[in-house]
Amino acid sequence: MAEMLALYGSPRRKGNTALLLKKAVEGAVEAGAEVEEIVLRDLEISPCLEIYACKKDGRCVIQDDFQAVYDKVLACQGLMLASPIFFYAVSAHTKALMERFQSLWVKKHWIDKIPYGKREATKKGLFISVGATKGKRLFEGALLTVRSFFEVLDMELWRSLLYRSLDFKGDVLQYPSYLEEAYTAGKELVELIRG
Ligand SMILES: Cc1cc2nc3c(=O)[nH]c(=O)nc-3n(C[C@H](O)[C@H](O)[C@H](O)COP(=O)(O)O)c2cc1C
């Protein structure tokens, strides 16, 4: 399993978040990491169906592509997650994956009885997001969701790269400084993890 995982959460191939995440991956590779890239839109991942069969042993019982992604997410030391803002939230592909980690939440808090907020964050995460508009609160919903997801993973939200006013495919290419920031973040994240 790879030390670093990159999750592409947009349904749009080579869209703005995908171009930014690709740069972060390049930075991480430059720093010497092995990075596995997963494009969520290529996978079959159901949202949580709230059957709570995970209460038995903490594993989700729905047999789809989540099972492989789950193991990879648990095994990585650093996670780079990219999602566009859809209706002030993360994309449905990203959210479906997150919901399935309720099985891990059940394991931690119901089966292993770990009190909330008591586990130290041992892993680091980078979140990349873009939206078309400019509002001050554009990323608030997504950030709450990502923080809560990362907490389940015992992961600190180490850095967020959030860019406004990007809408059409390739818009981000007009901002080389954003792509440079993403590259640097990927590199620094690996340096930190190995540090
Ligand atoms: C279903 C949908 C919902 C969207 N909702 C918002 C929104 O709430 N706020 C916003 O600023 N942009 C919104 N957008 C615009 C996207 O965030 C924007 O096009 C972004 O650049 C897409 O990123 P991508 O190229 O990585 O897919 C929405 C786009 C779609 C398709």
Side-chain angles (χ1 to χ4, degrees), residues 113 162 182:
K113 303 204 182 313
L162 311 171

Side-chain angles (χ1 to χ4, degrees), residues 68-109:
V69 179
Y70 177 84
D71 290 335
K72 288 172 185 177
V73 170
L74 287 202
C76 77
Q77 285 308 304
L79 180 67
M80 301 187 284
L81 170 67
S83 169
I85 295 297
F86 284 178
F87 288 90
Y88 286 88
V90 293
S91 69
H93 288 88
T94 308
K95 186 65 166 25
L97 176 80
M98 290 172 164
E99 287 181 14
R100 296 288 292 284
F101 276 89
Q102 178 69 359
S103 53
L104 180 59
W105 188 96
V106 164
K107 176 163 174 24
K108 279 173 72 174
H109 300 303

Side-chain angles (χ1 to χ4, degrees), residues 10 12 15-18 84-88 130-133 138 166-167:
S10 173
R12 185 152 71 175
N16 295 309
T17 52
I85 295 297
F86 284 178
F87 288 90
Y88 286 88
V130 313
T133 55
L138 179 58
L166 300 177
D167 198 2

Side-chain angles (χ1 to χ4, degrees), residues 20-89:
L20 286 160
L21 182 54
K22 193 78 198 167
K23 279 288 164 194
V25 168
E26 283 173 27
V29 169
E30 171 66 25
E34 189 200 330
V35 186
E36 178 160 3
E37 297 169 83
I38 296 176
V39 180
L40 295 178
R41 72 154 286 167
D42 290 344
L43 305 180
E44 290 293 333
I45 298 182
S46 160
C48 174
L49 300 180
E50 242 186 320
I51 45 182
Y52 277 113
C54 55
K55 279 203 256 182
K56 193 168 162 240
D57 62 1
R59 274 308 285 233
C60 181
V61 296
I62 305 168
Q63 291 306 317
D64 62 11
D65 291 327
F66 170 72
Q67 300 295 341
V69 179
Y70 177 84
D71 290 335
K72 288 172 185 177
V73 170
L74 287 202
C76 77
Q77 285 308 304
L79 180 67
M80 301 187 284
L81 170 67
S83 169
I85 295 297
F86 284 178
F87 288 90
Y88 286 88

Side-chain angles (χ1 to χ4, degrees), residues 138-158:
L138 179 58
F139 298 103
E140 281 185 11
L143 281 171
L144 270 176
T145 306
V146 168
R147 281 213 173 82
S148 133
F149 172 54
F150 280 8
E151 191 175 335
V152 177
L153 302 177
D154 299 324
M155 183 174 282
E156 176 200 345
L157 176 57
W158 165 73

